[in-house]
Amino acid sequence: MPKSKRDRPVTLSKTKKKGREHKEIIVNGIREAVEKYSSVYVFSFENMRNIKFKEFRQQFRHNGRFFLGSNKVMQVALGRSASDEMRPGIFKVSKMLRGDAGLLVTDMPKEEVESLFNAYEDSDFSRTGSTAVETVELKEGPLEQFTHEMEPFLRKQGMPVRLNKGTVELLSDFVVCEEGKPLSPESSRILRLLGIKLATFKLNLVCRWSPSDFELYREGLDLSDVETS
């Protein structure tokens, strides 16, 4: 009887090698970009949406590159200290790669980069598990935005509803979500049905490096934190 393909062992050394090769590709890509372009920016992001980020990146397609991934890998590419940095002073950029962050390496004038980042903001529906930024409550009474066919689905989401002469009726006040609390799958679905977008996809500049200077954008960051190796 032939062996099942499902039973074939996976060589861990191969998976580790692929992971190492992927990291090397990222490191080499960052280093090549830093040699090619004149400025390096660190940016943070909130409520990342891949499709919308791809659209934003198109504005830099002719004169820049974006990098997202492991902060540690990006730090290795740039250098974590003055002793191993690839360009003078660029280890300061590594110090700012914290949390949800990425790199932009570009030749675009500083003023244009700042304008594009500051102007960009896009609303979207909140995902399950994200924190509600406000409380949404529905009052008792008819819900005329919903058709009668949706009444069973709304009940499955925990809403106290019934059909009253073909109209969906809410039997009591219902809190869809509470500010500061994580969204349940049901809350997320109801907000989408209501057309309420509570998530804002935003990109925030953190710092900028060039061969001649280093600049912090975010308030509360202390330049002394990155001055030492």
Side-chain angles (χ1 to χ4, degrees):
M1 181 176 177
K3 277 191 175 182
S4 169
K5 290 183 179 179
R6 294 179 184 175
D7 296 332
R8 290 181 181 176
V10 176
T11 305
L12 293 178
S13 60
K14 288 184 179 180
T15 60
K16 289 179 181 178
K17 183 179 179 182
K18 286 183 179 179
R20 185 169 62 250
E21 288 175 350
H22 178 65
K23 290 177 182 178
E24 289 175 355
I25 290 172
I26 295 174
V27 168
N28 292 334
I30 291 173
R31 289 176 176 172
E32 289 171 5
V34 172
E35 292 292 346
K36 180 178 180 180
Y37 298 109
S38 59
S39 297
V40 180
Y41 295 80
V42 172
F43 62 91
S44 63
F45 52 86
E46 304 168 28
N47 299 304
M48 173 60 77
R49 298 294 186 265
N50 290 334
I51 293 176
K52 294 181 178 181
F53 181 58
K54 185 176 180 180
E55 293 171 355
F56 180 78
R57 285 169 51 185
Q58 288 300 305
Q59 299 172 96
F60 296 85
R61 64 186 181 278
H62 297 305
N63 59 354
R65 288 189 65 184
F66 282 88
F67 297 92
L68 288 177
S70 165
N71 288 342
K72 288 184 178 179
V73 173
M74 292 189 286
Q75 288 169 345
V76 167
L78 299 173
R80 295 182 175 181
S81 67
S83 62
D84 63 1
E85 61 185 3
M86 64 167 298
R87 299 283 298 275
I90 206 168
F91 82 92
K92 298 173 186 176
V93 174
S94 290
K95 300 283 188 181
M96 294 293 103
L97 285 167
R98 307 167 183 168
D100 294 329
L103 288 175
L104 165 63
V105 191
T106 182
D107 275 338
M108 185 178 287
K110 169 177 175 276
E111 293 75 16
E112 289 185 39
V113 174
E114 293 171 353
S115 177
L116 288 171
F117 271 81
N118 291 336
Y120 188 80
E121 189 172 295
D122 204 324
S123 298
D124 201 355
F125 295 107
S126 296
R127 294 173 176 171
T128 298
S130 61
T131 302
V133 296
E134 63 181 77
T135 297
V136 175
E137 183 177 7
L138 298 176
K139 295 298 182 181
E140 175 185 350
L143 299 173
E144 296 180 354
Q145 64 267 53
F146 298 124
T147 61
H148 67 276
E149 293 96 340
M150 297 188 70
E151 188 265 346
F153 178 78
L154 295 175
R155 273 193 285 110
K156 286 183 180 179
Q157 307 313 307
M159 294 179 65
V161 294
R162 70 175 181 183
L163 281 178
N164 185 0
K165 297 180 180 179
T167 299
V168 178
E169 183 179 43
L170 191 63
L171 300 178
S172 59
D173 293 351
F174 179 75
V175 176
V176 179
C177 61
E178 290 186 61
E179 182 179 356
K181 293 187 177 181
L183 288 179
S184 66
E186 294 77 16
S187 296
S188 181
R189 294 188 199 107
I190 294 170
L191 288 171
R192 185 176 286 271
L193 289 173
L194 292 169
I196 298 176
K197 297 181 177 181
L198 296 182
T200 301
F201 171 41
K202 189 166 176 58
L203 301 165
N204 306 293
L205 288 173
V206 177
C207 69
R208 178 185 63 85
W209 171 93
S210 73
S212 59
D213 66 341
F214 178 79
E215 178 180 4
L216 289 174
Y217 287 103
R218 290 175 56 176
E219 294 181 7
L221 293 176
D222 188 355
L223 190 58
S224 63
D225 292 341
V226 297
E227 289 293 351
T228 61
S229 57

